[in-house]
Amino acid sequence: MNTYSKKVALNGVSDQWHKIILPNECFQMVKPDLSDIRIYGITQNDTIEVPYFLSLSKEIRSNTTIPFNLLNSVYDRKGDYFTYELDALETINEIQLNFANINFNWTVSLEGSQDQQEWFNILRDYRILSIVNEQTDYSYTNLKFKNSKFPYYRITIDTSEKPILKSATILKRAIQDPEYHTYPENKLEIQEENKNTIIHVDLKNKYAVSLLKLAIDNSVDYYRPLTIQYLVDSTKTDKGFHYNYRTLAKRTLSSMEANIINIPSTLTQKFRLIIANNDNQPLEIKEVVTKGYIHTLTARFTKPASYYLVYGKSPDRYPIYDITNIKNNIPQNISVLTLGNEQQIAKKGQIVSGPLFKNKAWLWAIITIIIMALGFFTVQMMRKKI
């Protein structure tokens, strides 16, 4: 254990299997790949290494494709109409449309009916669009709505163009959102440079970030390419620090969608977001919220001992444990251990240095003696000159 930097006591070990939620403090010390995390148990005669595997609280998606038939495709001066019949009465909440057209901005209405005689509004004046040019390649053509259950659906596209609908997919989506740590408020520095808005996001500490949410205060439509970068390292120069960033992801900010951006879980303290404005006015960025997946260790305990979570060691490697291959045999309901406070691990042979003089009276006494000695020698030198 003394080869690691920090330890945290694990309290409440009573069963063979337990879960441990990594505290945010550990991200200050661990390697970017999280390979230097171990669990050790200390007994009177031995030190036990506890096997574990790491999991992240990612969202759970369930998508069911609903079979259907296209009954008719007609148009008049009001627009184009597409009518569908489901093979069986099912609940749906999304229709994905795929057009051969590019560079369009249309409004769509969606209706449902039990008998094709009386129609009920599901979506009205719903916008779909496609933008393809040298700066961006963006489309938003999915109709999303609350759960609906009709045998017949009718899509109306209000446009003077001829929509070329290549395909449609009718879905029932079920999404279980993941749990997140919401990190403390961060410091934002926003600058405009070469038609780009550059947002420097400086977190309070180093965290494992997996989601960014941008609060944008704009009343007009926008579609802007976004580059997300994270700090790799920094170099001190005569002019200050030079920061080296690496591109993590590229996305598109759009007024049609919530600007919630999922990124690969990344251990960092500084982000840089670059919004390409082209010839448009810059967007008003009010806030950037940062969140991270909850990192959970599932561990197997076999003996009574005093157990600790330890981390902070370079170099180190990923541990190889058998339990990574038997996850299906692990019980479902596993209790979560409580954690003690983070503690520094004293290195073997390390001498903890303290102040030379713990009592300030000694320091003042020495200063007084020095002053008196200086005064004495000064007087002696003056007498010799006389």
Side-chain angles (χ1 to χ4, degrees), residues 76-92:
D76 60 17
R77 57 187 181 87
K78 294 182 180 180
D80 287 70
Y81 303 83
F82 301 88
T83 304
Y84 301 100
E85 179 185 18
L86 303 188
D87 288 359
L89 191 59
E90 299 279 358
T91 299
I92 68 170

Side-chain angles (χ1 to χ4, degrees), residues 152-313:
Y152 303 98
Y153 290 91
R154 183 169 65 188
I155 298 172
T156 305
I157 302 177
D158 183 8
T159 176
S160 58
E161 303 176 53
K162 176 61 180 175
I164 305 174
L165 183 59
K166 295 169 60 177
S167 64
T169 305
I170 298 178
L171 299 170
K172 180 184 179 181
R173 287 191 181 274
I175 301 176
Q176 180 180 336
D177 292 330
E179 293 183 84
Y180 288 105
H181 285 299
T182 299
Y183 298 127
E185 291 186 6
N186 49 59
K187 179 182 176 182
L188 294 186
E189 181 182 334
I190 302 176
Q191 63 187 76
E192 306 299 331
E193 183 179 313
N194 298 326
K195 296 185 178 182
N196 294 327
T197 298
I198 303 175
I199 308 168
H200 296 274
V201 183
D202 192 354
L203 304 180
K204 185 177 181 180
N205 289 307
K206 186 185 292 184
Y207 297 112
V209 180
S210 50
L211 181 145
L212 301 173
K213 181 179 180 181
L214 278 71
I216 300 177
D217 187 14
N218 281 76
S219 58
V220 298
D221 291 331
Y222 56 86
Y223 319 97
R224 308 284 172 87
L226 170 68
T227 301
I228 303 168
Q229 300 177 331
Y230 70 99
L231 182 67
V232 179
D233 55 37
S234 59
T235 306
K236 190 173 183 179
T237 66
D238 295 338
K239 298 181 179 180
F241 280 95
H242 174 73
Y243 296 106
N244 299 311
Y245 287 88
R246 181 177 298 163
T247 297
L248 179 63
K250 293 188 176 183
R251 300 287 189 270
T252 299
L253 294 178
S254 169
S255 55
M256 298 187 65
E257 301 180 78
N259 290 309
I260 299 175
I261 304 165
N262 291 293
I263 59 175
S265 187
T266 304
L267 194 63
T268 188
Q269 188 171 352
K270 292 180 181 291
F271 279 94
R272 184 167 68 183
L273 311 179
I274 303 174
I275 303 173
N277 297 313
N278 299 313
D279 296 321
N280 302 290
Q281 289 186 346
L283 301 174
E284 296 181 30
I285 310 298
K286 296 175 61 179
E287 184 183 25
V288 177
V289 176
T290 55
K291 297 185 178 184
Y293 293 132
I294 293 177
H295 292 59
T296 302
L297 307 182
T298 301
R300 182 180 64 196
F301 300 84
T302 57
K303 296 181 180 180
S306 298
Y307 287 100
Y308 294 90
L309 173 71
V310 302
Y311 44 83
K313 177 182 177 180

Side-chain angles (χ1 to χ4, degrees), residues 42-105:
I42 299 177
T43 68
Q44 289 184 349
N45 303 316
D46 198 7
T47 300
I48 308 164
E49 182 169 349
V50 176
Y52 72 86
F53 63 85
L54 173 67
S55 58
L56 277 60
S57 58
K58 293 188 176 181
E59 68 181 10
I60 300 174
R61 289 178 174 265
S62 174
N63 299 330
T64 304
T65 302
I66 309 301
F68 67 93
N69 297 303
L70 176 63
L71 293 183
N72 54 57
S73 173
V74 297
Y75 66 94
D76 60 17
R77 57 187 181 87
K78 294 182 180 180
D80 287 70
Y81 303 83
F82 301 88
T83 304
Y84 301 100
E85 179 185 18
L86 303 188
D87 288 359
L89 191 59
E90 299 279 358
T91 299
I92 68 170
N93 51 26
E94 183 170 336
I95 301 177
Q96 297 177 346
L97 303 176
N98 181 21
F99 295 93
N101 312 66
I102 59 172
N103 292 320
F104 59 82
N105 187 353

Side-chain angles (χ1 to χ4, degrees), residues 369-384:
I369 292 171
I370 292 172
I371 293 173
M372 292 175 66
L374 290 173
F376 173 78
F377 287 115
T378 303
V379 171
Q380 293 296 322
M381 290 176 65
M382 290 176 66
R383 287 178 177 177
K384 288 181 178 180

